[in-house]
Amino acid sequence: MEKILVLDFGGQYNQLIARRVRDHRVYAEILPYTVPLEEIRKRRYKGIIFTGGPNSVFDMESPHYTREILDMGVPVLGICYGCQLISWMAGGEVKTAPVSEYGKIELTAKPSPIFENVPEKSIVWMSHTDYISAPPEGYEIIATTPDCPCAAMQNTKKDIYAVQFHPEVTHSEYGDKVLYNFLYNVCDCKGEWVMDSFIDDTVIKLREQIGDKNVILGLSGGVDSSVAAALLSKAVGKQLTCVFVDQGLMRKDEGDFVEKTFTTMFDMNFVRVNCAEHFINALRGVTDPEEKRRIIGTEFFNVFWDEIRKQSDKGYFAQGTIYPDCIESGKGDADVIKTHHNRVKTPEDVEFLGIIEPLADLFKDEVRRVGERLGIPRELVWRQPFPGPGLGVRIIGEITAEKLDLLREADAVLRDEMSKNGYENNLAQFFCVLPDVKTVGVMGDHRTYDNLVAIRAVTTDDFMTADWARIPYDILAKVSNRITNECAGINRVVYDITSKPPGTVEWE
């Protein structure tokens, strides 16, 4: 299979670059800049893309790479920091720019294999404080901006190209065309990466690996584990057992929907473990969000493994791991924003023949496309992102059964209204939060002192940044009216108008 390497130098858009490449039906994988050159040689890539990054190439503590990579005979495209790194590696000059460029900038491009069908003038997205003041010998400048004398350069003899702007973001008008041109004009890719072939090839591999043994999968009801379950069902049928731990932290009626979907549409053994009371007891008195996440993750797998221990023939253990869970970042140490539970270690007393991760090569949008082709209901495949700890991190403060019921009802009203008016298609994510705040109100001439509910809705292409959604006032008014009338115990609704950054999408 033809592959493109995205070599990560700490850029925030590393995954986005790989996804854009895959959109052009070419498989891309991400490796950190610490990967040895010999490993890159062995993998026989059709091309290499250097990502951006927050550092300066003339700072020797910044991420660098051996100059030999430019002499391998493999086409290279450098983006932003990657552009400056190519210049530095090849003997060019990189300096702090007299004028930094941020945001949308007009680019003037010259004829080039990467600018085919790109107009001379176009808008690109810039984000840099350093610039190439003199390109290396053998390189020619192929694009400029008013403040950047080398916005792109090329060495056609070596098939090396570099752009100071970010072609992977939608703000760059013809950025997608630049990537396409690099893949097809420079790397000579054929575009063989398609979902149908992925399903067929994966089913064959799963059957060969599993043989006549059994497989156990932890089914959360989320997109990833659901698609993994459907793919395994297609491959081995009743040899698959899915264990669904319903911890009581899902949205209204979701547990029943998951059970109905997988017991009526797919050939497998389905085990549902209802343990809401167990989780409520484990979370009693806990208010710290990280501690809640830790407890929910720990108890989820305690319950799961207790159920697995009952199985006599365990065979293989399957997980819904997807590609972003596997990527080793090129950023080095990073702050923990939130704890995620994506990959599971098996207890020492539970033995399996091996671990199976059928989706480990896919991004989320690719997982959804596989799910559609496997016949999973659209409302599950295109389910909005839902945190692993569920409603446990949409209730600020202590979690109780009463609060969960209240939040479930309010969230169900919001989702129902968005579905009725069709506005849900304009949103990347929307949900209710119970902030543990009570306010004074008046209902039927009587004073109330009840709960406040916050609505959160965002628009985004990639969830790395997000903007608060401008939902029409009449829709918000209808939602607010229904929640305060239909959800006993709520007397006030507020709307979160914070973007990411500075906030995150979830409140905890």
Side-chain angles (χ1 to χ4, degrees):
M1 180 177 64
E2 58 184 14
K3 295 186 293 186
I4 295 292
L5 169 63
V6 176
L7 195 59
D8 180 19
F9 291 94
Q12 62 176 320
Y13 298 130
N14 60 354
Q15 294 187 31
L16 188 56
I17 295 169
R19 285 173 56 195
R20 294 289 184 254
V21 170
R22 292 187 185 191
D23 285 343
H24 292 302
R25 298 175 58 168
V26 178
Y27 182 74
E29 63 185 12
I30 301 169
L31 293 176
Y33 70 93
T34 52
V35 64
L37 182 65
E38 197 52 45
E39 180 65 24
I40 293 176
R41 280 199 178 103
K42 284 194 301 185
R43 299 198 184 197
R44 299 182 180 276
Y45 293 105
K46 295 281 286 185
I48 301 171
I49 299 177
F50 292 179
T51 74
N55 305 94
S56 295
V57 295
F58 42 77
D59 179 354
M60 294 314 298
E61 294 186 1
S62 299
H64 290 88
Y65 206 78
T66 173
R67 290 174 168 84
E68 293 176 64
I69 196 170
L70 301 181
D71 298 318
M72 287 175 54
V74 178
V76 177
L77 172 67
I79 295 174
C80 197
Y81 177 86
C83 171
Q84 298 162 12
L85 183 61
I86 288 174
S87 177
W88 180 84
M89 293 165 73
E93 199 171 76
V94 180
K95 295 181 178 179
T96 300
V99 179
S100 300
E101 290 183 310
Y102 294 101
K104 295 180 179 180
I105 305 291
E106 185 178 72
L107 180 84
T108 302
K110 297 178 180 178
S112 164
I114 64 169
F115 289 141
E116 184 177 309
N117 296 321
V118 174
E120 180 185 3
K121 303 282 188 182
S122 67
I123 298 299
V124 297
W125 183 262
M126 289 283 198
S127 180
H128 68 104
T129 54
D130 297 338
Y131 81 127
I132 296 171
S133 55
E137 184 178 347
Y139 288 73
E140 63 173 315
I141 294 172
I142 54 173
T144 61
T145 71
D147 293 307
C148 188
C150 181
M153 64 181 186
Q154 67 181 15
N155 184 325
T156 54
K157 290 183 179 179
K158 289 189 171 185
D159 279 336
I160 298 175
Y161 298 81
V163 295
Q164 185 61 68
F165 59 91
H166 287 273
E168 70 275 21
V169 302
T170 55
H171 301 299
S172 292
E173 289 180 322
Y174 292 89
D176 206 41
K177 176 58 70 174
V178 171
L179 290 175
Y180 176 92
N181 289 336
F182 175 70
L183 297 173
Y184 288 92
N185 293 351
V186 180
C187 300
D188 197 29
C189 290
K190 295 180 176 63
E192 300 167 337
W193 172 248
V194 292
M195 288 299 102
D196 287 340
S197 62
F198 169 82
I199 293 172
D200 293 340
D201 292 345
T202 303
V203 166
I204 291 171
K205 290 177 184 176
L206 288 171
R207 287 173 179 164
E208 290 175 349
Q209 179 180 1
I210 296 166
D212 61 354
K213 302 301 181 183
N214 291 330
V215 185
I216 293 172
L217 170 73
L219 181 64
S220 68
V223 176
D224 303 335
S225 65
S226 295
V227 174
L231 196 55
L232 283 160
S233 172
K234 182 178 177 66
V236 298
K238 287 290 187 184
Q239 293 169 239
L240 170 66
T241 296
C242 287
V243 178
F244 172 48
V245 177
D246 187 348
Q247 83 285 55
L249 301 174
M250 300 183 78
R251 291 173 288 201
K252 187 175 182 180
D253 300 328
E254 278 193 321
D256 294 339
F257 174 66
V258 171
E259 180 174 6
K260 182 180 178 181
T261 297
F262 287 96
T263 55
T264 60
M265 297 186 64
F266 296 96
D267 186 27
M268 64 173 66
N269 300 303
F270 184 91
V271 178
R272 180 174 180 176
V273 184
N274 294 309
C275 48
E277 187 175 350
H278 173 83
F279 276 78
I280 292 296
N281 290 334
L283 291 163
R284 184 169 287 119
V286 178
T287 60
D288 179 75
E290 277 299 293
E291 182 65 8
K292 284 195 286 187
R293 286 176 178 269
R294 186 194 66 78
I295 291 172
I296 292 168
T298 299
E299 292 306 313
F300 180 92
F301 288 109
N302 285 342
V303 172
F304 175 75
W305 293 121
D306 284 345
E307 185 63 33
I308 297 308
R309 290 183 178 95
K310 299 175 186 177
Q311 308 289 325
S312 56
D313 184 4
K314 297 180 180 61
Y316 290 91
F317 175 51
Q319 301 185 93
T321 309
I322 65 174
Y323 191 53
D325 303 333
C326 311
I327 296 172
E328 181 186 345
S329 173
K331 292 183 180 178
D333 295 334
D335 290 339
V336 175
I337 306 301
K338 288 183 281 194
T339 301
H340 295 273
H341 308 279
N342 295 317
R343 308 191 87 173
V344 184
K345 292 183 179 179
T346 60
E348 293 182 1
D349 67 321
V350 180
E351 294 185 358
F352 290 101
L353 296 173
I355 306 294
I356 293 175
E357 297 174 322
L359 306 177
D361 289 332
L362 304 185
F363 284 105
K364 178 74 78 175
D365 54 332
E366 295 169 329
V367 171
R368 294 186 197 276
R369 293 204 292 271
V370 170
E372 284 186 319
R373 285 168 169 77
L374 290 170
I376 299 177
R378 180 174 176 79
E379 54 266 44
L380 196 150
V381 172
W382 289 98
R383 180 192 195 207
Q384 290 186 13
F386 191 60
L391 299 181
V393 290
R394 291 180 180 173
I395 294 174
I396 312 302
E398 183 181 10
I399 299 168
T400 66
E402 294 74 21
K403 289 180 181 178
L404 283 166
D405 288 340
L406 196 60
L407 181 57
R408 260 191 283 266
E409 291 301 322
D411 194 70
V413 169
L414 174 64
R415 288 189 291 129
D416 181 56
E417 274 305 313
M418 292 301 172
S419 175
K420 282 179 179 177
N421 59 44
Y423 203 78
E424 63 181 355
N425 297 326
N426 299 325
L427 306 173
Q429 194 171 1
F430 59 93
F431 53 88
C432 286
V433 179
L434 196 64
D436 198 28
V437 172
K438 290 196 171 184
T439 70
V440 174
V442 57
M443 289 183 174
D445 294 329
H446 295 285
R447 178 187 183 274
T448 62
Y449 190 61
D450 280 329
N451 292 279
L452 174 149
V453 159
I455 295 172
R456 177 70 160 150
V458 298
T459 59
T460 179
D461 290 327
D462 49 38
F463 282 95
M464 287 182 283
T465 61
D467 195 12
W468 63 275
R470 273 63 168 176
I471 298 176
Y473 289 161
D474 58 337
I475 295 178
L476 288 174
K478 181 69 178 294
V479 171
S480 176
N481 185 61
R482 280 193 59 189
I483 288 176
T484 53
N485 278 279
E486 298 175 23
C487 304
I490 298 175
N491 68 357
R492 191 180 298 268
V493 177
V494 298
Y495 189 51
D496 181 350
I497 59 169
T498 311
S499 295
K500 175 188 178 182
T504 55
V505 176
E506 298 286 345
W507 278 33
E508 284 195 341

